[in-house]
Amino acid sequence: MSSLVTEALLDENQGRPVNEAIRAEARRLVKENFAQCFWFRDPEATVTTWNDVYLVVEHLREYGGRTQWREAQKLWKTLRACL
């Protein structure tokens, strides 16, 4: 997906809440990959909006390995399906 499309999606959905299943999956991925991908976050930070979940996706892709990249892709597809 092009970065322009991604930016447009982020702009359109900024602050939009996500459902509990997506929040739970994003929190699980943050906990499992905290040291490698989310060292900058407060471990107790909440994941509640579209942008929060996209941040999880970005950091899994950028700082994780192959497994994290695949998990990020699954989460991204789930997030986009909710639009």
Side-chain angles (χ1 to χ4, degrees):
M1 176 180 302
S2 80
S3 62
L4 290 176
V5 172
T6 301
E7 287 179 31
L9 286 171
L10 290 171
D11 288 344
E12 289 172 14
N13 295 290
Q14 185 160 359
R16 180 182 179 163
V18 293
N19 68 43
E20 182 56 37
I22 293 173
R23 284 196 304 264
E25 181 64 8
R27 283 192 303 260
R28 179 188 71 78
L29 290 167
V30 168
K31 283 183 180 181
E32 287 180 4
N33 300 285
F34 186 80
Q36 183 177 1
C37 302
F38 300 101
W39 69 93
F40 64 95
R41 281 180 68 101
D42 176 353
E44 301 304 318
T46 60
V47 176
T48 57
T49 67
W50 220 86
N51 292 65
D52 295 337
V53 176
Y54 188 72
L55 181 70
V56 173
V57 169
E58 280 188 317
H59 283 268
L60 287 169
R61 287 176 178 164
E62 186 169 348
Y63 300 109
R66 175 179 274 174
T67 301
Q68 289 82 9
W69 191 88
R70 286 182 180 154
E71 291 290 337
Q73 292 304 99
K74 287 182 203 174
L75 185 59
W76 177 235
K77 286 180 183 177
T78 304
L79 185 63
R80 290 193 58 221
C82 290
L83 293 179

